[in-house]
Amino acid sequence: MAENDTNTDQAAAEGANDQQFFIQKLYLKDLSFEAPMGAKAFIDQIQPKIDQELATETKKIGENLYEVVLKLTLTAKVEKETAFLIEVQQAGLFQIAGVEKNHLSRVMNTVCPHILLPYAREAIDSTLGKGGFPALMIPPINFEALFAQAMSEKQKAAH
């Protein structure tokens, strides 16, 4: 019995060795900032309501090479007026090989955005600082939970 366990463990380890995940490049694909309220945003002691939109986009670029883009849009509003709007597309090129097709989507929608998020946060906070606004320090995002929710909604829609 111990021999079978050893063979199974060895086969699993060999299969794991076939999987590859490399970051080829991280880059800021797009950045947009607007402060339509102008000086009024700084004169009035405003407490804006911050709305956050989050999306990921994945695209196969070549053999085992994928572009993953984390899109974050933050809008600060005071009543109906927009204090600022910032849109960031933080991207990365990832080499992913040996991952089963049904797990590839999970990797590209959880692991890759998790890697990209700190870079997007830095771009947002740096840009806001240059625009005269305080940093938002966006909290961590649970991409695994978001992916599970999206898959659950997809299954419900299919039935």
Side-chain angles (χ1 to χ4, degrees):
M1 187 70 163
E3 185 178 317
N4 287 342
D5 289 342
T6 304
N7 290 339
T8 304
D9 292 343
Q10 184 178 6
E14 287 172 5
N17 290 337
D18 293 342
Q19 295 181 352
Q20 296 179 359
F21 181 91
F22 298 106
I23 300 169
Q24 295 296 323
K25 186 77 169 171
L26 299 175
Y27 55 100
L28 187 61
K29 188 170 183 173
D30 192 14
L31 173 65
S32 173
F33 174 75
E34 300 173 27
M37 285 180 72
K40 184 178 178 185
F42 308 115
I43 295 169
D44 298 340
Q45 294 296 319
I46 62 169
Q47 291 298 319
K49 179 182 180 276
I50 308 288
D51 291 322
Q52 177 179 306
E53 294 178 33
L54 171 75
T56 56
E57 183 180 288
T58 61
K59 181 171 43 172
K60 186 170 185 171
I61 301 296
E63 184 68 28
N64 299 325
L65 187 62
Y66 301 89
E67 179 187 53
V68 178
V69 181
L70 176 63
K71 299 177 180 183
L72 278 167
T73 303
L74 301 161
T75 308
K77 290 193 172 205
V78 180
E79 295 173 15
K80 292 184 179 183
E81 247 185 303
T82 300
F84 67 78
L85 169 70
I86 186 165
E87 296 174 314
V88 172
Q89 291 185 19
Q90 182 67 47
L93 287 176
F94 298 90
Q95 183 176 346
I96 307 170
V99 177
E100 294 179 25
K101 190 173 183 176
N102 58 341
H103 293 297
L104 183 60
S105 178
R106 178 179 296 278
V107 169
M108 289 194 301
N109 286 286
T110 60
V111 176
C112 296
H114 181 75
I115 291 168
L116 297 171
L117 181 61
Y119 296 94
R121 276 197 300 229
E122 191 282 326
I124 289 167
D125 288 348
S126 174
T127 303
L128 285 174
K130 290 174 184 172
F133 295 95
L136 291 179
M137 300 202 294
I138 298 167
I141 297 170
N142 187 340
F143 291 103
E144 190 68 40
L146 292 174
F147 181 76
Q149 180 183 0
M151 292 295 99
S152 176
E153 290 172 5
K154 189 175 181 180
Q155 283 181 336
K156 287 178 185 176
H159 289 111

